[in-house]
Amino acid sequence: MITIKLTPEVYDNAISLAHFRYQMSRASNLKNQKQDMTRTDLDIEKLGAKGEFAVATLYNLNPPINGGWDSGYDLWFCSKSIQVKSTFHTDGQLLFKAKEKFVADFAILVVQDQNCPMKMTIVGATSKDYFFNNAIKKDLGNGEVYTLTQDKMAKPQDFWKYMMEKRYA
């Protein structure tokens, strides 16, 4: 695990992106597919945007853009797509409602620090193929989802090594 403290500027960009996405979703009558029913849709958008900016910061990737819709591709490197999933729970798992919702080449799990909302911990990464073969279907209280526990994910530094090999090989 690697913890990133977002700078005030990056944090502000993440919050601005979250507000934009929230307003676009409301205007389009889109329903958030959140599993945590104790949080507002805006809370979830903020968490997600901060996670995306944390991953972009750690791996020196272009930051997320103000796209009008969620294609499932949050970040890119060497023509490979990354889907960032974030959670408030330190023991949180990588979740997808259905395997078909995992559309990117990779997914990265990020956890928000309990005491500082500017600190985000990059927990691990997985490929789509690995997730499809190892995810477990569970009901976490809001219907069945596919899950992958943190211990089954590649460490952030191992994913960085993979990225560097792809980039410079």
Side-chain angles (χ1 to χ4, degrees):
M1 292 187 222
I2 298 175
T3 299
I4 298 289
K5 184 174 183 186
L6 301 176
T7 65
E9 177 185 3
V10 171
Y11 181 80
D12 183 63
N13 287 339
I15 299 304
S16 294
L17 177 59
H19 279 277
F20 174 78
R21 288 177 177 170
Y22 174 72
Q23 292 298 333
M24 290 296 293
S25 294
R26 285 184 58 201
S28 302
N29 290 323
L30 297 177
K31 187 175 189 258
N32 193 313
Q33 296 183 35
K34 65 185 177 184
Q35 288 294 307
D36 186 344
M37 298 304 172
T38 65
R39 315 286 176 160
T40 68
D41 288 350
L42 183 56
D43 290 338
I44 301 299
E45 290 293 352
K46 287 178 183 179
L47 175 69
K50 290 186 299 182
E52 291 169 24
F53 273 92
V55 170
T57 299
L58 177 64
Y59 294 118
N60 195 27
L61 302 172
N62 291 330
I65 60 167
N66 284 343
W69 65 293
D70 185 359
S71 65
Y73 309 121
D74 298 319
L75 302 168
W76 292 86
F77 75 97
C78 299
S79 299
K80 299 284 185 188
S81 55
I82 300 172
Q83 200 163 357
V84 178
K85 294 290 195 170
S86 301
T87 179
F88 292 101
H89 307 283
T90 56
D91 60 347
Q93 304 170 57
L94 183 65
L95 305 178
F96 285 92
K97 265 196 155 169
K99 288 184 177 179
E100 300 77 38
K101 297 289 185 182
F102 191 149
V103 297
D105 297 305
F106 299 94
I108 296 178
L109 180 63
V110 181
V111 175
Q112 179 180 287
D113 185 274
Q114 298 289 328
N115 300 314
C116 178
M118 293 174 78
K119 285 186 180 178
M120 305 297 287
T121 299
I122 292 79
V123 173
T126 187
S127 68
K128 184 190 316 187
D129 290 338
Y130 184 86
F131 183 86
F132 278 25
N133 292 324
N134 294 281
I136 297 170
K137 196 172 191 178
K138 292 183 186 175
D139 188 337
L140 300 175
N142 294 307
E144 291 186 330
V145 293
Y146 288 91
T147 68
L148 189 67
T149 57
Q150 293 180 15
D151 62 320
K152 302 278 190 228
M153 301 181 78
K155 294 177 182 172
Q157 54 270 36
D158 293 335
F159 188 67
W160 178 85
K161 182 180 179 203
Y162 169 81
M163 289 175 62
M164 293 305 107
E165 289 169 352
K166 281 288 182 201
R167 186 176 288 165
Y168 298 112

